Amino acid sequence: MMKKMNKGNFRWTEMTETIRNRGLKKSCMFRLLFLTVLFLWGSVFLCACGYSREEKQHRREMEETGRENVIDYIEEKYGFTPQIEKIEVCEDWNAFSFQSDANGYVLAVVHAEDGGESFRVHISGEERTSKGRDDFQHGQIMDDGRAYFSRLAGYEIYDIALQYMEKGVTGSSYLDGREDNLLSEIYEPGSFETFLQEHPMNVRIDDCLNQDLTGLEETNADMVAFLKEYAGTWGLKAMLISWQSKEDYEKAFAHDYGRNGLQDFEIWQDGLYINSYAGFEEGEMVCSRFERQEFDGIVFTCLDQAEGNDLEITTGRNVWQDLGETRGEPLSEVYCISRDGRGEVVVYVPVDILNAYGMGRAVFIQHFADEKWWQYEAGLEKTTDKRFVFFTYHGWSNGSTFDFAVCKK
């Protein structure tokens, strides 16, 4: 998962009163305000103008030095001369100047002389060197990883994703993804277990066998013990997901669960297609399965936490509040959903049902918290197969109790 900067709001009335009542400070305040506006305007102007002539020249020189370094590095490491498809200067964001600054490295996309798949090379663009990093062997490592985890699991792995770093690099470096799978050393085929011990790694393993992984400790104790040990000792973060079918896997809203150590972040949005999942991190295992309930053709999903139906779904239990957010009476029934405890509830509304209410309509949520009613438009997403629109209710202080309806906005 991007961070947004907050912009403060000047309290103009209070500032004006302060200036009026503090004569000696009046000119200072105006000067400060003028300089602040001038600084912000200047920053925007610099951004709009782009890089200076000197900076553009410096970047061209970095690209040329990087190009020579890439060729030397690949020839020395792998024994062939690479064909360079493109090369770009690596940048870091400079919050002071509001633009990106070159950080001294280049990232090249190259391939072997006789063709083959492209791969990346990360190397200095400031000085001549033959020391760099690349992902030329990523395919070999993926093949070895798939075979290794398939033997460990004892069942068919449908898909696998590996995200690894250099030795000794912390997991925080995963966040921007630019340095994923770049290695300076040569990987020895068949040495995946050793590689797993030496490199911080995030692993996602998908099967389409509709398994209940909450019972994995009973059905595959060896696998659980291995993943716990490696998660505790070697920094492994592993995510196992069992989809209901191959068709459901293809319908998934996302396939990046488990990246950057965010083990199950937003996985609830695919509760319509996933049977269960298990996450391993810091020596611990967390397992969950999804429950699905249907009501009036609408599908509701949540993590299964109790025997029987976790969700109580009714219509007409609560009156739709007139809070000025919607126009007139709801077009649909007022659906009331409640459950014990907190947790995300995802509601999948068939597109044809929603379209039947015509134009100018939206789904609105209401719930009661902090001694008052809240009402707002739901943020709708569409499933990959376009059959459903869905929204997520994340819960409030009163747990996962809320109403929703289709309304005019």
Side-chain angles (χ1 to χ4, degrees):
M1 340 332 146
M2 301 290 101
K3 291 183 172 60
K4 297 181 180 178
M5 296 191 304
N6 293 322
K7 295 182 179 178
N9 295 319
F10 287 111
R11 299 169 63 186
W12 290 107
T13 303
E14 293 183 13
M15 188 179 76
T16 303
E17 188 66 27
T18 300
I19 293 172
R20 183 183 298 118
N21 295 334
R22 300 180 183 178
L24 291 177
K25 294 185 178 179
K26 183 175 181 179
S27 60
C28 293
M29 291 292 291
F30 274 110
R31 287 173 187 166
L32 178 60
L33 179 59
F34 174 78
L35 290 173
T36 300
V37 173
L38 183 63
F39 172 76
L40 292 175
W41 178 85
S43 298
V44 172
F45 178 78
L46 287 174
C47 268
C49 290
Y51 302 112
S52 67
R53 180 182 302 174
E54 291 78 11
E55 177 64 15
K56 289 179 179 178
Q57 178 60 30
H58 176 57
R59 285 169 175 260
R60 285 192 290 268
E61 292 171 354
M62 287 185 63
E63 290 179 8
E64 186 56 36
T65 300
R67 184 180 301 273
E68 295 173 356
N69 287 342
V70 167
I71 294 173
D72 290 348
Y73 167 72
I74 294 299
E75 286 181 341
E76 181 177 311
K77 186 174 182 179
Y78 296 116
F80 66 85
T81 301
Q83 299 298 306
I84 298 178
E85 297 178 14
K86 67 176 181 178
I87 189 165
E88 60 183 35
V89 174
C90 297
E91 301 174 331
D92 291 327
W93 177 251
N94 187 326
F96 182 78
S97 65
F98 293 94
Q99 67 179 16
S100 296
D101 294 337
N103 64 16
Y105 290 89
V106 298
L107 187 66
V109 178
V110 306
H111 59 80
E113 287 180 311
D114 57 353
E117 292 186 4
S118 298
F119 62 98
R120 299 176 301 154
V121 178
H122 182 265
I123 202 164
S124 175
E126 294 280 9
E127 58 184 7
R128 294 287 281 120
T129 182
S130 60
K131 297 183 183 299
R133 295 180 296 167
D134 67 90
D135 60 0
F136 177 62
Q137 293 183 287
H138 180 62
Q140 177 69 62
I141 295 170
M142 285 288 293
D143 289 344
D144 285 2
R146 177 187 287 272
Y148 187 88
F149 284 112
S150 292
R151 289 192 299 270
L152 185 66
Y155 55 77
E156 178 189 2
I157 290 177
Y158 186 72
D159 196 10
I160 187 171
L162 304 180
Q163 184 186 22
Y164 49 83
M165 299 290 292
E166 285 271 56
K167 298 176 184 178
V169 177
T170 62
S172 61
S173 298
Y174 284 116
L175 296 180
D176 62 13
R178 290 179 300 177
E179 299 182 10
D180 288 357
N181 310 328
L182 294 173
L183 301 174
S184 58
E185 79 271 22
I186 292 180
Y187 171 75
E188 294 296 332
S191 63
F192 185 79
E193 185 166 339
T194 301
F195 185 81
L196 195 60
Q197 295 173 0
E198 294 179 341
H199 296 266
M201 187 179 298
N202 293 335
V203 180
R204 193 199 73 244
I205 297 171
D206 300 286
D207 75 69
C208 299
L209 302 175
N210 200 26
Q211 297 187 91
D212 182 359
L213 295 176
T214 61
L216 187 63
E217 202 148 21
E218 289 74 38
T219 59
N220 196 337
D222 290 343
M223 184 180 191
V224 170
F226 176 90
L227 293 176
K228 281 185 176 180
E229 177 189 352
Y230 273 64
T233 305
W234 306 110
L236 173 69
K237 295 178 182 179
M239 185 79 166
L240 279 61
I241 304 176
S242 187
W243 301 81
Q244 295 177 98
S245 67
K246 293 179 181 179
E247 292 73 21
D248 285 316
Y249 175 87
E250 299 302 329
K251 294 176 185 177
F253 185 72
H255 284 125
D256 57 358
Y257 308 118
R259 283 185 62 85
N260 304 325
L262 304 176
Q263 290 297 318
D264 55 0
F265 184 68
E266 292 188 342
I267 196 170
W268 52 78
Q269 65 193 357
D270 273 324
L272 185 61
Y273 310 116
I274 295 173
N275 180 310
S276 61
Y277 66 92
F280 296 82
E281 187 173 9
E282 296 181 351
E284 300 294 329
M285 176 180 69
V286 177
C287 298
S288 296
R289 63 173 170 253
F290 285 100
E291 177 176 310
R292 285 163 290 278
Q293 294 177 228
E294 186 174 336
F295 188 92
D296 276 359
I298 301 171
V299 182
F300 302 78
T301 69
C302 64
L303 290 180
D304 189 7
Q305 298 175 348
E307 291 293 329
N309 289 335
D310 282 22
L311 304 177
E312 181 184 355
I313 308 169
T314 59
T315 56
R317 188 172 62 201
N318 291 326
V319 175
W320 192 256
Q321 304 297 309
D322 184 9
L323 303 180
E325 300 292 335
T326 59
R327 294 191 295 118
E329 292 295 314
L331 300 174
S332 71
E333 296 278 4
V334 178
Y335 293 91
C336 310
I337 298 90
S338 62
R339 68 178 298 183
D340 293 332
R342 301 186 63 177
E344 283 74 18
V345 177
V346 183
V347 180
Y348 295 84
V349 182
V351 169
D352 56 354
I353 290 180
L354 187 63
N355 288 343
Y357 293 106
M359 302 294 290
R361 79 290 182 269
V363 176
F364 279 80
I365 296 171
Q366 74 172 17
H367 61 83
F368 189 79
D370 297 335
E371 304 302 319
K372 67 176 183 178
W373 283 96
W374 302 76
Q375 204 172 79
Y376 48 89
E377 185 177 348
L380 297 181
E381 302 276 5
K382 186 171 285 189
T383 57
T384 304
D385 62 5
K386 313 301 182 186
R387 290 185 56 217
F388 297 91
V389 293
F390 66 93
F391 67 89
T392 303
Y393 182 76
H394 294 277
W396 202 260
S397 56
N398 65 332
S400 297
T401 300
F402 65 101
D403 309 325
F404 78 90
V406 179
C407 305
K408 291 181 180 179
K409 60 177 181 176

